[in-house]
Amino acid sequence: MAGPSFRFGQHVLQSSCVFFKSRLSIGFVNRKPVVPGHVLVSPLRVVERFGELSSEEVADLFMATQTISGVVEKHFQSTSLTIAIQDGPEAGQTVKHVHVHILPRKSGDFPQNDEVYEALDKHDKEMGEDGKWRTEEEMAEEASVLARYFNCQVDSC
Amino acid sequence: MAGPSFRFGQHVLQSSCVFFKSRLSIGFVNRKPVVPGHVLVSPLRVVERFGELSSEEVADLFMATQTISGVVEKHFQSTSLTIAIQDGPEAGQTVKHVHVHILPRKSGDFPQNDEVYEALDKHDKEMGEDGKWRTEEEMAEEASVLARYFNCQVDSC
């Protein structure tokens, strides 16, 4: 999908990875999902900490998170969701741009339920440090499938 | 503090534990904080899953979360925050009422950063199963100190 790119902290996101756009937020797939359907939601404005968001951005970000959560839970046939923000470096944040992790959860997806968080922390720490990222094509394909649920193309919505 | 009690899933919260109240949400201390200042934010309405909240409740819940986050980060002199929802049993939810965990984080608060989540999961699982809960008095004292930041009494705000 051709179209604009988006900022995600120090990174540039191709629009092909973005499957949801509201007035103030975007939803996008990530290079190294901890579980199938692990996606991220961010404010469009590059803001490092949660406390810096305006009320309008907070409302928009979590309404986007709720909408996207419902879709990934359905699409990935999960039964629960882990929703988390690592807000600041001591909480494991590495990309300096507020982002909500949404992880569809299923019974037995980790040997112990809380291991999802260990995987989440490793995910962030290792971002860019190994060669196990998905290809742009894989990511674009997933984003394109998810985008259909929202009845919009990122370029136009 | 005398006053109304609040529902938290199957539990009844005494108003003495509630330090924040907005139109649709409450913030309250908990019996077994994983780190100092670990508090919870819930919609007033007893709703099990995040997806069942109205847009208005989502906006109110996360504006409350943002406001409370700023206060606990300041009061407990932390530098980061872990913000998480265990949405559904496969994500570790035990109390069937949407609640956002806010955990003030500091460098070195856990030997490994992600151990906070293991503690968080144990916290929920063990709720009510051991004798290590804080007393009502301890909880009321903390809630009373936090309530001052919001310039309101739960009974009247």
Side-chain angles (χ1 to χ4, degrees), chain B residues 52-71:
Chain B
E52 296 170 69
L53 295 175
S54 70
S55 300
E56 225 185 344
E57 285 171 321
V58 169
D60 191 274
L61 180 66
F62 284 96
M63 288 199 267
T65 298
Q66 188 191 42
T67 302
I68 294 168
S69 293
V71 161

Side-chain angles (χ1 to χ4, degrees), chain A residues 49-55 58-59 62-63 65-66 69 73 79-92 105-107 109 113-114 117-118 120-121 125, chain B residues 49-55 58-59 62-63 65-66 69 73 79-92 105-107 109 113-114 117-118 120-121 125:
Chain A
R49 295 291 309 271
F50 180 48
E52 296 170 69
L53 295 176
S54 70
S55 301
V58 169
F62 285 95
M63 287 199 267
T65 298
Q66 188 191 41
S69 294
E73 183 162 345
T79 47
S80 297
L81 296 158
T82 294
I83 298 169
I85 306 180
Q86 298 166 309
D87 188 42
E90 286 72 30
R105 302 293 308 276
K106 292 176 186 180
S107 178
D109 54 5
N113 187 55
D114 55 5
Y117 296 111
E118 196 176 334
L120 194 60
D121 264 31
K125 281 177 197 141
Chain B
R49 295 290 310 271
F50 179 49
E52 296 170 69
L53 295 175
S54 70
S55 300
V58 169
F62 284 96
M63 288 199 267
T65 298
Q66 188 191 42
S69 293
E73 183 162 344
T79 47
S80 297
L81 296 157
T82 294
I83 297 169
I85 306 180
Q86 297 166 309
D87 188 41
E90 286 71 30
R105 302 294 309 275
K106 293 177 183 179
S107 178
D109 55 5
N113 186 55
D114 55 6
Y117 297 111
E118 196 176 333
L120 194 60
D121 265 29
K125 280 175 199 144

Side-chain angles (χ1 to χ4, degrees), chain B residues 6-146:
Chain B
F6 297 90
R7 285 279 308 280
F8 177 44
Q10 65 271 41
H11 304 287
V12 174
L13 292 176
Q14 296 308 314
S15 68
S16 59
C17 298
V18 178
F19 60 83
F20 175 92
K21 187 170 172 296
S22 62
R23 200 165 67 78
L24 301 172
S25 311
I26 50 170
F28 50 104
V29 299
N30 74 67
R31 294 195 163 187
K32 220 176 136 183
V34 162
V35 291
H38 171 196
V39 297
L40 303 173
V41 195
S42 273
L44 278 165
R45 191 164 66 95
V46 180
V47 171
E48 185 172 347
R49 295 290 310 271
F50 179 49
E52 296 170 69
L53 295 175
S54 70
S55 300
E56 225 185 344
E57 285 171 321
V58 169
D60 191 274
L61 180 66
F62 284 96
M63 288 199 267
T65 298
Q66 188 191 42
T67 302
I68 294 168
S69 293
V71 161
V72 295
E73 183 162 344
K74 182 180 174 184
H75 184 73
F76 292 93
Q77 299 179 300
S78 73
T79 47
S80 297
L81 296 157
T82 294
I83 297 169
I85 306 180
Q86 297 166 309
D87 188 41
E90 286 71 30
Q93 183 182 23
T94 53
V95 179
K96 293 182 176 183
H97 188 156
V98 175
H99 53 289
V100 183
H101 291 268
I102 303 177
L103 297 99
R105 302 294 309 275
K106 293 177 183 179
S107 178
D109 55 5
F110 287 89
Q112 286 195 37
N113 186 55
D114 55 6
E115 286 173 20
V116 67
Y117 297 111
E118 196 176 333
L120 194 60
D121 265 29
K122 282 190 186 142
H123 161 272
D124 263 28
K125 280 175 199 144
E126 289 168 10
M127 206 164 182
E129 286 170 16
D130 70 8
K132 291 176 193 162
W133 284 1
R134 297 195 292 175
T135 63
E136 293 256 333
E137 289 69 27
E138 281 177 284
M139 292 165 70
E141 194 181 321
E142 184 176 273
S144 151
V145 170
L146 289 174

Side-chain angles (χ1 to χ4, degrees), chain A residues 21-134:
Chain A
K21 187 169 173 295
S22 62
R23 200 165 66 80
L24 301 172
S25 311
I26 50 171
F28 50 103
V29 300
N30 75 67
R31 294 197 163 187
K32 220 176 136 184
V34 162
V35 291
H38 170 196
V39 298
L40 303 173
V41 194
S42 273
L44 278 165
R45 191 163 66 95
V46 180
V47 170
E48 185 171 345
R49 295 291 309 271
F50 180 48
E52 296 170 69
L53 295 176
S54 70
S55 301
E56 224 185 344
E57 285 171 321
V58 169
D60 190 274
L61 180 66
F62 285 95
M63 287 199 267
T65 298
Q66 188 191 41
T67 302
I68 294 168
S69 294
V71 161
V72 295
E73 183 162 345
K74 182 180 174 185
H75 184 73
F76 291 93
Q77 299 178 300
S78 73
T79 47
S80 297
L81 296 158
T82 294
I83 298 169
I85 306 180
Q86 298 166 309
D87 188 42
E90 286 72 30
Q93 182 181 23
T94 53
V95 178
K96 294 183 176 183
H97 188 155
V98 176
H99 53 290
V100 183
H101 292 267
I102 302 176
L103 297 99
R105 302 293 308 276
K106 292 176 186 180
S107 178
D109 54 5
F110 287 89
Q112 286 195 36
N113 187 55
D114 55 5
E115 285 173 22
V116 67
Y117 296 111
E118 196 176 334
L120 194 60
D121 264 31
K122 281 190 186 142
H123 161 273
D124 262 30
K125 281 177 197 141
E126 289 169 10
M127 206 164 181
E129 285 170 18
D130 69 9
K132 291 175 195 163
W133 284 1
R134 297 195 293 175

